[in-house]
Amino acid sequence: AEARKEFTRALQLWEKEGGPDGSLATQALRPLARLEVATGAPRKALEHCQRALAMDERVQGTSAPDVALDLACLAEGHLALGAPEQAVPLLERASALAPDHAAIVRLLAVARLDAHRAEAVSHAAAALNYFLQNDHARARKAVEKALSLDPENRRARELRQVLGILG
């Protein structure tokens, strides 16, 4: 609570100094957004990141280094919401703007892995649905797709075993 109060105070001071749409405010918006993610308020974090991105793109241009940080900030919010498929394109753009930024590169790798896992879960669920409908051919295909994305997906592995027993 104290940290949020300090970041909010800093934001108010920077808005007063540079105006509410000045790029100085982004220096408080990104840390405030990270705090929101850490305290379980990722939707609020997205608002801060979107505001910072809009300011930085307007003031500095769409290829500025701060834009990469804003995009990564947005991606962190989407990851916290369990939406890695929305985070990946943001991080790809951020990585293109700042290819040597280690945190962005690491976050992109994590987001891609999370997106693959989420897609694997979806395919495993579809496979189970096909299995329950006695459509074993489609179930096998969905299981194989799930396992190609996430070889450790327990549901898909178990379903593959059952399908193997059935022939």
Side-chain angles (χ1 to χ4, degrees), residues 10-29 51-52 55-56 58-59:
L11 176 60
Q12 290 168 345
L13 290 172
W14 277 331
E15 285 176 336
K16 185 177 179 181
E17 182 69 27
D21 293 329
S23 63
L24 285 176
T26 64
Q27 303 306 313
L29 285 168
R51 184 171 168 215
M55 286 180 199
D56 283 336
R58 186 176 51 257
V59 174

Side-chain angles (χ1 to χ4, degrees), residues 10-159:
L11 176 60
Q12 290 168 345
L13 290 172
W14 277 331
E15 285 176 336
K16 185 177 179 181
E17 182 69 27
D21 293 329
S23 63
L24 285 176
T26 64
Q27 303 306 313
L29 285 168
R30 283 190 300 268
L32 184 57
R34 285 190 180 86
L35 178 67
E36 299 291 5
V37 167
T39 58
R43 291 192 195 290
K44 187 71 173 166
L46 288 176
E47 292 174 22
H48 297 315
C49 296
Q50 288 167 337
R51 184 171 168 215
L53 177 62
M55 286 180 199
D56 283 336
E57 284 183 330
R58 186 176 51 257
V59 174
Q60 300 177 36
T62 58
S63 60
D66 282 345
V67 169
L69 298 176
D70 298 332
L71 292 166
C73 181
L74 272 171
E76 287 179 69
H78 286 297
L79 288 172
L81 287 169
E85 68 284 353
Q86 291 182 2
V88 169
L90 296 167
L91 289 164
E92 287 172 341
R93 183 174 163 212
S95 182
L97 295 174
D100 297 327
H101 195 290
I104 291 173
V105 170
R106 180 195 59 76
L107 196 57
L108 176 56
V110 168
R112 283 180 173 153
L113 182 61
D114 286 353
H116 281 144
R117 286 185 179 147
E119 188 177 353
V121 166
S122 176
H123 284 288
L128 182 57
N129 189 41
Y130 294 139
F131 175 76
L132 294 173
Q133 296 171 11
N134 288 322
D135 190 344
H136 296 168
R138 286 177 79 184
R140 280 186 187 88
K141 194 176 200 179
V143 161
E144 294 308 319
K145 180 65 177 173
L147 291 172
S148 74
L149 293 166
D150 181 8
E152 301 302 316
N153 185 295
R154 189 176 58 117
R155 179 178 284 165
R157 289 169 61 146
E158 290 171 353
L159 192 51

